[in-house]
Amino acid sequence: QVQLVESGGGLVQAGGSLRLPCAASGSRFTFDSMGWYRQAPGKHRELVATVTSGGTTNYAEFVKGRFTISRGNAKNTMSLQMNSLKPEDTAIYYCKARRVVNVEGAAVDRWGQGPQVTVSS
C-alpha cells in the first residue's frame, strides 16, 4: 500500500518561510514525478510545483522566485521550500506522486492528506 507522508505545515507571518517535505513509501517503483498542489477555501485545487525523477521542475507563475521544489536523495522523497510567503498562500497543500504506467501516458496518482499552511498578515 503506497502512502504519502507530509509534514511541515503551520502558521507563519507574511514574509516568512516554511518547508514541506513529502515521502512516498510502499512502492517498489520510482515515481516519475512528484509535486505539490494547494486548495484554498472556496477555490479549486491548483498546481504549485512539480519535479520529475530526472530533476526537471515546473512552477506555477504565482510562486516563481519564491518557492523551490527538489527531489531528495532517498527514493521517492521531495520537498518544497517556501520563502517570502504571502497571506494568499494560505491553503491546504497536497503532495502528489505520479507513475506513468504505459506508453500512451496513462498514469496512476497518489495523494497525501495535506498539511495546512496559514500565512498571517
PDB file of all heavy atoms in Angstrom, residues 10-25:
ATOM      1  N   GLY A  10       1.917  24.762   8.952  1.00  0.00           N
ATOM      2  CA  GLY A  10       1.824  25.542  10.175  1.00  0.00           C
ATOM      3  C   GLY A  10       1.441  26.975   9.915  1.00  0.00           C
ATOM      4  O   GLY A  10       0.999  27.329   8.819  1.00  0.00           O
ATOM      5  N   LEU A  11       1.614  27.786  10.949  1.00  0.00           N
ATOM      6  CA  LEU A  11       1.269  29.211  10.898  1.00  0.00           C
ATOM      7  C   LEU A  11       2.558  30.021  10.818  1.00  0.00           C
ATOM      8  O   LEU A  11       3.490  29.790  11.595  1.00  0.00           O
ATOM      9  CB  LEU A  11       0.477  29.591  12.148  1.00  0.00           C
ATOM     10  CG  LEU A  11       0.179  31.071  12.358  1.00  0.00           C
ATOM     11  CD1 LEU A  11      -0.733  31.600  11.260  1.00  0.00           C
ATOM     12  CD2 LEU A  11      -0.454  31.286  13.730  1.00  0.00           C
ATOM     13  N   VAL A  12       2.597  30.969   9.896  1.00  0.00           N
ATOM     14  CA  VAL A  12       3.785  31.796   9.731  1.00  0.00           C
ATOM     15  C   VAL A  12       3.343  33.206   9.362  1.00  0.00           C
ATOM     16  O   VAL A  12       2.267  33.387   8.762  1.00  0.00           O
ATOM     17  CB  VAL A  12       4.718  31.204   8.652  1.00  0.00           C
ATOM     18  CG1 VAL A  12       4.060  31.218   7.283  1.00  0.00           C
ATOM     19  CG2 VAL A  12       6.057  31.911   8.620  1.00  0.00           C
ATOM     20  N   GLN A  13       4.142  34.182   9.706  1.00  0.00           N
ATOM     21  CA  GLN A  13       3.824  35.561   9.332  1.00  0.00           C
ATOM     22  C   GLN A  13       4.205  35.824   7.881  1.00  0.00           C
ATOM     23  O   GLN A  13       5.096  35.159   7.330  1.00  0.00           O
ATOM     24  CB  GLN A  13       4.564  36.532  10.251  1.00  0.00           C
ATOM     25  CG  GLN A  13       4.017  36.591  11.660  1.00  0.00           C
ATOM     26  CD  GLN A  13       4.639  37.717  12.476  1.00  0.00           C
ATOM     27  OE1 GLN A  13       5.792  38.078  12.274  1.00  0.00           O
ATOM     28  NE2 GLN A  13       3.857  38.284  13.394  1.00  0.00           N
ATOM     29  N   ALA A  14       3.560  36.802   7.302  1.00  0.00           N
ATOM     30  CA  ALA A  14       3.894  37.200   5.939  1.00  0.00           C
ATOM     31  C   ALA A  14       5.375  37.546   5.845  1.00  0.00           C
ATOM     32  O   ALA A  14       5.930  38.193   6.732  1.00  0.00           O
ATOM     33  CB  ALA A  14       3.048  38.394   5.508  1.00  0.00           C
ATOM     34  N   GLY A  15       5.999  37.060   4.768  1.00  0.00           N
ATOM     35  CA  GLY A  15       7.424  37.254   4.598  1.00  0.00           C
ATOM     36  C   GLY A  15       8.264  36.116   5.139  1.00  0.00           C
ATOM     37  O   GLY A  15       9.479  36.054   4.875  1.00  0.00           O
ATOM     38  N   GLY A  16       7.632  35.220   5.887  1.00  0.00           N
ATOM     39  CA  GLY A  16       8.341  34.112   6.488  1.00  0.00           C
ATOM     40  C   GLY A  16       8.519  32.938   5.540  1.00  0.00           C
ATOM     41  O   GLY A  16       8.166  33.007   4.355  1.00  0.00           O
ATOM     42  N   SER A  17       9.056  31.836   6.085  1.00  0.00           N
ATOM     43  CA  SER A  17       9.368  30.650   5.290  1.00  0.00           C
ATOM     44  C   SER A  17       8.857  29.394   5.958  1.00  0.00           C
ATOM     45  O   SER A  17       8.744  29.321   7.178  1.00  0.00           O
ATOM     46  CB  SER A  17      10.885  30.519   5.106  1.00  0.00           C
ATOM     47  OG  SER A  17      11.419  31.627   4.420  1.00  0.00           O
ATOM     48  N   LEU A  18       8.554  28.408   5.129  1.00  0.00           N
ATOM     49  CA  LEU A  18       8.206  27.070   5.583  1.00  0.00           C
ATOM     50  C   LEU A  18       8.779  26.070   4.593  1.00  0.00           C
ATOM     51  O   LEU A  18       8.960  26.380   3.412  1.00  0.00           O
ATOM     52  CB  LEU A  18       6.693  26.876   5.658  1.00  0.00           C
ATOM     53  CG  LEU A  18       5.926  27.475   6.830  1.00  0.00           C
ATOM     54  CD1 LEU A  18       4.418  27.288   6.620  1.00  0.00           C
ATOM     55  CD2 LEU A  18       6.353  26.852   8.152  1.00  0.00           C
ATOM     56  N   ARG A  19       9.030  24.872   5.069  1.00  0.00           N
ATOM     57  CA  ARG A  19       9.486  23.795   4.196  1.00  0.00           C
ATOM     58  C   ARG A  19       8.524  22.630   4.338  1.00  0.00           C
ATOM     59  O   ARG A  19       8.184  22.231   5.453  1.00  0.00           O
ATOM     60  CB  ARG A  19      10.907  23.365   4.568  1.00  0.00           C
ATOM     61  CG  ARG A  19      11.477  22.250   3.711  1.00  0.00           C
ATOM     62  CD  ARG A  19      12.952  22.017   4.052  1.00  0.00           C
ATOM     63  NE  ARG A  19      13.455  20.801   3.414  1.00  0.00           N
ATOM     64  CZ  ARG A  19      13.417  19.597   3.976  1.00  0.00           C
ATOM     65  NH1 ARG A  19      12.913  19.463   5.186  1.00  0.00           N
ATOM     66  NH2 ARG A  19      13.885  18.551   3.328  1.00  0.00           N
ATOM     67  N   LEU A  20       8.080  22.097   3.204  1.00  0.00           N
ATOM     68  CA  LEU A  20       7.134  20.980   3.185  1.00  0.00           C
ATOM     69  C   LEU A  20       7.814  19.745   2.601  1.00  0.00           C
ATOM     70  O   LEU A  20       7.991  19.652   1.393  1.00  0.00           O
ATOM     71  CB  LEU A  20       5.907  21.330   2.354  1.00  0.00           C
ATOM     72  CG  LEU A  20       5.070  22.540   2.764  1.00  0.00           C
ATOM     73  CD1 LEU A  20       3.860  22.685   1.832  1.00  0.00           C
ATOM     74  CD2 LEU A  20       4.599  22.423   4.200  1.00  0.00           C
ATOM     75  N   PRO A  21       8.193  18.780   3.437  1.00  0.00           N
ATOM     76  CA  PRO A  21       8.727  17.532   2.914  1.00  0.00           C
ATOM     77  C   PRO A  21       7.598  16.552   2.599  1.00  0.00           C
ATOM     78  O   PRO A  21       6.528  16.616   3.203  1.00  0.00           O
ATOM     79  CB  PRO A  21       9.584  16.984   4.061  1.00  0.00           C
ATOM     80  CG  PRO A  21       9.511  18.001   5.158  1.00  0.00           C
ATOM     81  CD  PRO A  21       8.324  18.857   4.880  1.00  0.00           C
ATOM     82  N   CYS A  22       7.867  15.650   1.661  1.00  0.00           N
ATOM     83  CA  CYS A  22       6.912  14.587   1.331  1.00  0.00           C
ATOM     84  C   CYS A  22       7.705  13.331   1.010  1.00  0.00           C
ATOM     85  O   CYS A  22       8.692  13.376   0.268  1.00  0.00           O
ATOM     86  CB  CYS A  22       6.039  14.979   0.146  1.00  0.00           C
ATOM     87  SG  CYS A  22       4.890  13.691  -0.374  1.00  0.00           S
ATOM     88  N   ALA A  23       7.279  12.210   1.583  1.00  0.00           N
ATOM     89  CA  ALA A  23       7.930  10.933   1.321  1.00  0.00           C
ATOM     90  C   ALA A  23       6.866   9.901   0.977  1.00  0.00           C
ATOM     91  O   ALA A  23       5.874   9.771   1.701  1.00  0.00           O
ATOM     92  CB  ALA A  23       8.727  10.485   2.541  1.00  0.00           C
ATOM     93  N   ALA A  24       7.084   9.180  -0.117  1.00  0.00           N
ATOM     94  CA  ALA A  24       6.165   8.123  -0.535  1.00  0.00           C
ATOM     95  C   ALA A  24       6.787   6.786  -0.186  1.00  0.00           C
ATOM     96  O   ALA A  24       7.917   6.495  -0.569  1.00  0.00           O
ATOM     97  CB  ALA A  24       5.906   8.214  -2.029  1.00  0.00           C
ATOM     98  N   SER A  25       6.027   5.980   0.541  1.00  0.00           N
ATOM     99  CA  SER A  25       6.519   4.667   0.933  1.00  0.00           C
ATOM    100  C   SER A  25       5.611   3.590   0.371  1.00  0.00           C
ATOM    101  O   SER A  25       4.466   3.844  -0.010  1.00  0.00           O
ATOM    102  CB  SER A  25       6.568   4.563   2.465  1.00  0.00           C
ATOM    103  OG  SER A  25       5.266   4.690   3.004  1.00  0.00           O
TER     104      SER A  25
END
